[in-house]
Amino acid sequence: MIVCVCQRVSDREIVRHARAGFGFDDIQLELGVATQCGRCEGCARDIVAQCNASHPVAAIQLASTILESRAWNSSPHSVAA
């Protein structure tokens, strides 16, 4: 489900980042959620809170997986050689 219409951020993206140990502020900076109209902020914060409460240990394991992925390190502004 799309949570942030302005930035096209889904609940799955928020969950993935929250389970990786990101807090709301980090997710907001990374994904841009709740940076325009702000209507999604409450829902996004609820998703983050639910993930942090239910998966505190899994966050450590998943964080390394996200950080090591190619998609994480690629830049939308990079030019292929």
Side-chain angles (χ1 to χ4, degrees), residues 11-22 27 51-52 54-69 72:
D11 58 337
R12 290 179 182 174
E13 291 174 285
I14 295 170
V15 167
R16 187 176 75 240
H17 282 75
R19 287 185 178 167
F22 286 62
I27 293 171
C51 289
N52 290 339
S54 64
H55 293 89
V57 177
I60 296 169
Q61 297 168 341
L62 194 55
S64 62
T65 304
I66 288 177
L67 290 174
E68 292 171 0
S69 74
W72 179 266

Side-chain angles (χ1 to χ4, degrees), residues 20-33:
F22 286 62
F24 176 78
D25 292 339
D26 299 322
I27 293 171
Q28 187 176 39
L29 182 64
E30 184 70 25
L31 301 177
V33 67

